[in-house]
Every structure is written in C-alpha cells, then in structure tokens.
Amino acid sequence: MISFFEASLKQLSIHHTGNKLVEEYYKLSDAPLKIEDELLGNLLMQYFLKPFEKVNEVYRFYHPNDNLALNEVFHFANEIFENNALFHEDSQQLAKYLYDVANHPKIKSGELYVAYFEKVQIEGEQLDVLGIFKSETKDTYLKVYPELDGFNMSYEQEAISINKLDKGCLIFNVDKEEGYKVVVLDQSKSSNDSAVYWKDEFLKLKIRNDSYNQTNNVLGVYKNFVTQKLDDDYEISKADKIDLLNRSMKYFKEKETFDIEEFGNEVIGNAEGIESFKNYKKNYEEEFESPIADHFEIAESAVKKQARAYKSVLKLDKNFHIYIHGNKDMIEKGYDDDKSMNFYKVYFREEE
C-alpha cells in the first residue's frame, strides 16, 4: 500500500532524547543535516521507508478532548506542511515533547530523526510526508579491509543497523481535517507502558475506520469469541472450535462483502450462538470505542494477515498434531475406559 520508488528525502534533522526518570537528558542539533553523499541518502531512504512497505493500518491523529489542535504532533506537523521554513525548529519541539511524555523508567534513550519526503505513495496518491523515527537498538559491526599483502579488521561499537528501525511514523499531507493519514511502526515486543508510549502518548492515534480495519477487527473479535468466550457458555471441543474458525476464514476468502446476518447463518448456524457473538461484538465496540459496521466491503489484505493467526492444528499431548482443514464430521472424539485416555477417530479415503 505504501511505495517510495519515486520518493526523495528533502530535509533531515537529528536529535537525541533520553529518559528523564533515570536522569538522562535530551540534546538538540543546531541545524538540519546536509546530505551530500548520494549513497548515504539512498541508505537513509531504505532505513526510514522500507519497513512501512507491508504496513496496512492507517491511523488518524486525535485528542481526548476532541480538539485536534491540542494534539502536539498534529500541531507541529501542520506547521511544517504550511511553512517548511519551520521544519528544523519544529523538529526540536518534537524532540522536547517526546522527552516529556517518556514517563517510564524502561523507555530507552536514542536518536530522534525528523525527515521531510516528497512523492511517497499511499493508496495510489503521491504526497509530501513528514517522518518521525527513533533508533534505540545499537549493534557492533566488523569491517574487513585490505592492507599490504593481506587483510586487517576493525570494528565499530554503538552503531545503527539500517535493517532495524525501532519506532517510526509517516504523516501524509492529506485529510488534515480528519487528522491526516498516519502509518506507524513500533518494534517493541511488550505491551507495557514502555512500549505503548510511542503510539498512545506521543502520537495519540486512533485507527481509521475503513474496510481494512473493519475486516481485521471482525476477524480478531470472532477469533477471540471462539477461542475464549465459547468456553464460558458452552461445552465445545477444540475440533469444533477449529471448524468454526475454518468456516469463518472460508467465508471471508469467498465473499466480497461482510453481512453480519449472513455471516451468522452461514458460519455459526445456531441462533443462540449468533446472539452470543453479536453481544460479544457489541461489548468490544463499547470497551474499545471502536464501532464495527454490520455490513462492509471485505479487504483481502486484512484476511491474509488474520489467516496467519488462525490456527487449524489440534495438538494432542506431545505425540500428535492433527491439522483440520475441512469437514469436521470426518473426525470423532471418544474416551477409552481401558486406557483411561481420550482418543480421536479420523476418517479418510486416500493416504498420501
């Protein structure tokens, strides 16, 4: 969805932000970086933009008080788009603001890069983009070079890998009144305060309510409904759960639009279960303030993403894995009194 084959990097400012809770400070550069080496410019383009090629979710800026102008990053991005002469000054303000919101002792210090690009494409439209990136992970690199009749070796510590962008966002200069189009990247593995500050505290983003996110949300909600909620209300085997998941994935792969009534009848097929799913979906919408329409166009890219999380394997102790891809009537569960063990009986026509 995002491509940069015609993009160019026009401006770049680099600052350093620490963690004030552990008595680290920030350091601001006096002027933007002058990039005169073409190879360096190309490497920076790869470092900043390539990680976003497979990002599909589009966000908007927001503010809890419903006044978009109070969102600090939106404010500075808007100033830069309207008056590019303020680029470096506003990049300094962004660095200070990131330092202020980093209120967790485990938040890592690192370099903050603020970049201005032209002709970055999203959803078929080429736009100017403000990029904000942070590098936290440092590596040691070896360098081998010829010397006299052989080779020598040196190393560089605390260097940055161009293949490891820790955090970043791209702000596209479009849809200003709705909070711009924003895509975000955060490689943090945990979900504690040290990880969520980038998207939630610094950027303050909400998901854009389009077909991709509608599709992604319904599939995620349904997966949780089957794997978690059904156990509370019914006695249901894991094989039956897998069948319900397989049927839902089949529905989304074959249909062009989602309709909750059709989905309930074709996939769940049980009036009590359909009502339970609708209530589960409603509770999700209220808890996360993320409405999901009862009818929308299905986004194929979201289906592919969720398909990787839908498991069709039945794990039996540490001895067997049974992959269930089709008719659940071809597998039966039973109990052997003599062995005091459960068993599955599997029917098939051909062995491959």
Side-chain angles (χ1 to χ4, degrees):
M1 187 175 69
I2 295 171
S3 61
F4 55 96
F5 59 93
E6 293 185 60
S8 58
L9 174 60
K10 294 302 182 181
Q11 290 178 284
L12 176 64
S13 292
I14 305 175
H15 311 289
H16 182 89
T17 61
N19 186 324
K20 60 184 175 183
L21 295 185
V22 294
E23 297 185 349
E24 295 174 343
Y25 301 95
Y26 62 80
K27 181 176 177 57
L28 307 177
S29 59
D30 293 331
L33 181 69
K34 291 183 179 180
I35 304 172
E36 299 174 348
D37 186 317
E38 183 178 353
L39 177 58
L40 175 60
N42 292 334
L43 289 174
L44 288 171
M45 291 282 287
Q46 292 289 318
Y47 177 53
F48 292 139
L49 297 181
K50 190 171 180 59
F52 291 92
E53 284 184 319
K54 296 183 179 180
V55 174
N56 290 293
E57 294 93 338
V58 177
Y59 291 82
R60 306 284 199 192
F61 286 117
Y62 85 104
H63 193 272
N65 293 337
D66 295 325
N67 185 347
L68 191 56
L70 297 178
N71 182 305
E72 288 84 351
V73 180
F74 171 86
H75 167 77
F76 293 123
N78 181 46
E79 278 198 349
I80 291 170
F81 286 137
E82 291 188 352
N83 183 2
N84 201 251
L86 296 173
F87 172 80
H88 185 71
E89 178 184 335
D90 282 341
S91 77
Q92 293 175 322
Q93 296 302 319
L94 286 166
K96 291 178 183 178
Y97 178 60
L98 179 62
Y99 178 79
D100 286 338
V101 299
N103 292 316
H104 192 283
K106 290 187 177 181
I107 292 174
K108 296 179 181 178
S109 63
E111 287 72 37
L112 182 73
Y113 310 86
V114 182
Y116 196 93
F117 304 94
E118 292 181 350
K119 294 184 179 180
V120 181
Q121 187 175 111
I122 183 172
E123 298 174 339
E125 189 175 12
Q126 284 188 341
L127 299 163
D128 285 2
V129 168
L130 181 68
I132 307 173
F133 316 96
K134 188 184 178 191
S135 62
E136 300 173 338
T137 305
K138 302 296 191 298
D139 290 315
T140 300
Y141 290 92
L142 295 176
K143 181 180 180 181
V144 178
Y145 54 91
E147 185 176 273
L148 299 178
D149 294 331
F151 295 89
N152 205 341
M153 180 180 287
S154 63
Y155 65 91
E156 185 171 354
Q157 292 180 304
E158 296 293 301
I160 298 169
S161 169
I162 64 169
N163 297 315
K164 294 181 181 179
L165 179 63
D166 292 297
K167 290 176 171 61
C169 78
L170 300 178
I171 305 164
F172 291 82
N173 189 13
V174 67
D175 299 342
K176 169 186 169 182
E177 290 73 17
E178 287 78 41
Y180 292 121
K181 288 182 182 179
V182 185
V183 293
V184 65
L185 184 76
D186 190 344
Q187 303 286 20
S188 300
K189 301 299 182 183
S190 60
S191 59
N192 57 33
D193 292 340
S194 66
V196 301
Y197 86 98
W198 178 256
K199 182 169 72 74
D200 295 342
E201 297 298 327
F202 176 58
L203 297 171
K204 293 188 180 70
L205 297 175
K206 65 179 180 180
I207 201 77
R208 187 182 66 173
N209 204 25
D210 60 359
S211 62
Y212 177 90
N213 293 304
Q214 296 275 19
T215 304
N216 191 57
N217 285 346
V218 164
L219 280 167
V221 169
Y222 181 74
K223 177 176 178 287
N224 290 338
F225 169 74
V226 171
T227 57
Q228 300 174 16
K229 175 63 175 173
L230 285 182
D231 281 335
D232 297 336
D233 298 338
Y234 310 98
E235 289 187 11
I236 181 170
S237 70
K238 288 186 177 180
D240 286 331
K241 287 183 180 180
I242 292 173
D243 179 62
L244 284 170
L245 293 176
N246 286 342
R247 279 157 53 184
S248 69
M249 190 54 63
K250 182 175 184 290
Y251 175 94
F252 275 88
K253 287 180 177 180
E254 293 179 351
K255 304 286 184 178
E256 293 184 356
T257 59
F258 171 84
D259 180 84
I260 194 167
E261 299 299 333
E262 179 186 67
F263 178 81
N265 292 329
E266 292 188 14
V267 175
I268 301 174
N270 174 286
E272 190 176 350
I274 293 170
E275 190 62 27
S276 179
F277 172 64
K278 287 181 178 179
N279 289 334
Y280 189 82
K281 171 178 167 289
K282 181 180 178 182
N283 291 337
Y284 170 88
E285 293 173 314
E286 292 174 353
E287 180 178 356
F288 294 98
E289 297 181 354
S290 179
I292 302 173
D294 290 340
H295 185 90
F296 56 83
E297 291 186 5
I298 292 173
E300 183 180 354
S301 56
V303 176
K304 288 181 179 179
K305 175 188 174 184
Q306 282 288 349
R308 294 192 290 268
Y310 269 52
K311 305 299 182 182
S312 59
V313 58
L314 189 63
K315 297 181 180 180
L316 308 177
D317 297 332
K318 295 183 179 180
N319 295 318
F320 305 102
H321 286 180
I322 300 177
Y323 290 85
I324 304 173
H325 301 295
N327 189 352
K328 77 175 182 66
D329 294 334
M330 296 296 102
I331 182 170
E332 294 180 6
K333 185 176 182 179
Y335 185 81
D336 189 303
D337 291 321
D338 294 335
K339 294 185 177 181
S340 299
M341 297 179 71
N342 298 306
F343 69 83
Y344 277 100
K345 184 187 293 184
V346 179
Y347 297 91
F348 63 95
R349 289 189 174 86
E350 297 180 7
E351 183 175 355
E352 297 182 5

